[in-house]
Amino acid sequence: MDFGLVLQTDPPASAVVGLMRRAERNGFRYGWTFDSAVLWQEPFVIYSRILEHTQRLIVGPMVTNPGTRTWEVTASTFATLNEMYGNRTVCGIGRGDSAMRVAGRKPNTLARLGEAIGAIRDLAEGREARVDGESIRIPWVKDGKLPVWMAAYGPKALALAGQKADGFILQLADLYLTEWMVGSVRAAAAEAGRDPDALTICVAAPAYVGDDLAHAREQCRWFGGMVGNHVADLVARYGEHSDLVPEALTEYITARQGYDYSHHGRTGSPSTDFVSDEIVDRFCLLGPPEAHVAKLKALRDLGVDQFAVYAMHDARESTIDAYGEHVIPALAGK
C-alpha cells in the first residue's frame, strides 16, 4: 500500500513544503493539496517548490476541476512540472465543489468532466486533443506521463471514473462504502472493456494518531461536514431513499442545515453539528497506531492501493512521524 499526505495550501507556502519534505522522509510517496483559488494559495506554484526539495514524491491536486482553468493550461502546467522534475505528477480531478461554488459558479457536469479527463491527459502526454471544438497539441511535450484519477461518490460519477480515469479517489474511509464504491467503479471499467484491476484505488480521509479519542474526533469532525456537502447533492439528485445510493452514506445528513465554505476543511467548522461520533469513527482513522494499521489492512483487502492522510488538525507533524515509524512499515509494499 502507498501513502499520501493531503494539505491545504495555507500561507506560508514554506510550511506546506516543509510538511511534504517531512512526509517523504517518513515513507510517504504522494503529496496532495486542495485546489480552490479563492480559499487557498495557488497549488501549482507550490508544487514546483515541493518537487525541487524532494527526490521521489509525486504531487498533485485532490482535486482540481475542468472549470477554473482551461484544459490546455492545466495540461501544460503538469507537463512543465514533469519536464522539470521527471514525470512526478498526478492529476486528481472532480466536478468542482469549493473552487466553483465560492466563485459563484455551479460544479461542472459529468459530461464535461469526462471530456476533460481525456483531453488533459492526452495534451499532457503530447497527443492531440479536442478542446472546445478545436484540435490542439502541445508540441514541446516529449515522453510526458500524467495519470488522471477521478474523485466520485454517486452512481453516475463512479461509472464515469471506471470508464475514463486511471484511478479512483474516494474521500472517506468507511469499510462498507469503500467496498460498494470500489465494486461500482471496477464493474463500470469491465463493462467499458477496460481492465478493472488496472485502476489505482485511493482512499483519502483524516488520520489522527493518539489515545485521546474525544479530542481526535473533534479535530476531524469537519470531514463529516465536508463529505455531507457532497452527499447533499446526491440526495437532491436521487432522493433520500434511493436504490442507487446506499443509505449508509445518505442517512447521516438528515439534520444538516447548510454549509459555510469559509470554514471548508477546517477544524472547528460550524457546519458539523449533524456529524455524530459514529460517523467520525467510520469515515476517519483515529486512535493508537495499531488501530490505524488494522483499518488500513481491511481497506487494503478491499482493493485500496493508496491511503492519503488528510492532515488538517493540530497534530500534523506527530501524525506524519507516527505513520513513518509505526504504520507505513506495517503496510508498505504489501
Side-chain angles (χ1 to χ4, degrees):
M1 179 179 273
D2 283 333
F3 289 84
L5 176 68
V6 189
L7 299 174
Q8 295 168 336
T9 51
D10 291 311
S14 58
V16 178
V17 176
L19 286 167
M20 291 298 186
R21 294 179 68 187
R22 190 184 198 112
E24 184 182 61
R25 291 195 302 269
N26 276 283
F28 288 76
R29 290 194 61 227
Y30 285 76
W32 302 92
T33 73
F34 281 39
D35 177 17
S36 189
V38 174
L39 296 177
W40 299 289
Q41 291 184 323
E42 172 54 39
F44 286 93
V45 176
I46 300 172
Y47 295 157
S48 185
R49 190 72 169 172
I50 295 169
L51 290 165
E52 181 183 4
H53 287 278
T54 56
Q55 286 72 51
R56 299 169 303 280
L57 203 69
I58 298 167
V59 305
M62 189 177 282
V63 292
T64 193
N65 72 86
T68 52
R69 300 176 181 85
T70 60
W71 303 351
E72 69 271 22
V73 170
T74 299
S76 181
T77 304
F78 276 113
T80 300
L81 292 171
N82 283 336
E83 191 278 329
M84 293 172 68
Y85 299 105
N87 287 339
R88 289 168 54 202
T89 66
V90 58
C91 177
I93 194 167
R95 293 176 60 228
D97 178 36
S98 64
M100 298 296 286
R101 286 178 162 134
V102 167
R105 306 185 189 104
K106 293 182 179 180
N108 297 270
T109 65
L110 287 176
R112 184 166 175 79
L113 175 56
E115 292 176 9
I117 287 172
I120 291 169
R121 179 172 51 215
D122 284 344
L123 290 170
E125 295 184 349
R127 296 184 295 275
E128 185 177 280
R130 290 188 68 80
V131 178
D132 294 330
E134 295 293 327
S135 294
I136 59 175
R137 186 176 70 85
I138 303 176
W140 52 263
V141 175
K142 307 294 181 185
D143 302 318
K145 187 66 177 175
L146 182 65
V148 181
W149 300 2
M150 180 182 155
Y153 290 109
K156 292 182 180 179
L158 293 169
L160 180 62
Q163 294 159 3
K164 299 283 188 179
D166 301 302
F168 164 50
I169 297 171
L170 173 57
Q171 292 163 307
L172 54 80
D174 177 81
L175 297 179
Y176 171 78
L177 292 172
T178 297
E179 182 176 19
W180 182 81
M181 292 185 185
V182 170
S184 297
V185 169
R186 287 188 165 153
E191 290 172 8
R194 308 178 73 202
D195 179 1
D197 294 326
L199 272 75
T200 302
I201 306 298
C202 174
V203 162
Y208 196 107
V209 180
D211 294 325
D212 188 343
L213 284 178
H215 180 74
R217 287 175 181 134
E218 291 310 312
Q219 287 292 304
C220 298
R221 198 174 301 277
W222 63 266
F223 185 65
M226 188 183 81
V227 173
N229 198 45
H230 297 288
V231 175
D233 284 344
L234 296 179
V235 171
R237 187 173 298 115
Y238 297 104
E240 292 185 11
H241 306 287
S242 169
D243 293 338
L244 298 175
V245 183
E247 289 197 14
L249 178 61
T250 60
E251 63 185 357
Y252 89 96
I253 69 162
T254 303
R256 178 181 178 274
Q257 298 297 316
Y259 193 76
D260 184 351
Y261 278 97
S262 67
H263 300 275
H264 188 58
R266 298 188 184 279
T267 296
S269 170
S271 305
T272 58
D273 291 346
F274 67 97
V275 181
S276 68
D277 287 352
E278 178 194 2
I279 289 296
V280 180
D281 291 347
R282 281 173 48 196
F283 286 10
C284 305
L285 276 75
L286 312 174
E290 53 268 26
H292 292 247
V293 171
K295 189 165 186 179
L296 287 166
K297 286 182 176 179
L299 287 167
R300 184 185 61 188
D301 290 344
L302 296 175
V304 175
D305 300 297
Q306 179 185 151
F307 177 64
V309 175
Y310 276 105
M312 278 66 81
H313 50 58
D314 64 2
R316 296 185 300 181
E317 292 86 353
S318 61
T319 293
I320 292 168
D321 292 346
Y323 262 65
E325 183 177 358
H326 302 290
V327 179
I328 293 176
L331 290 119
K334 298 181 181 179

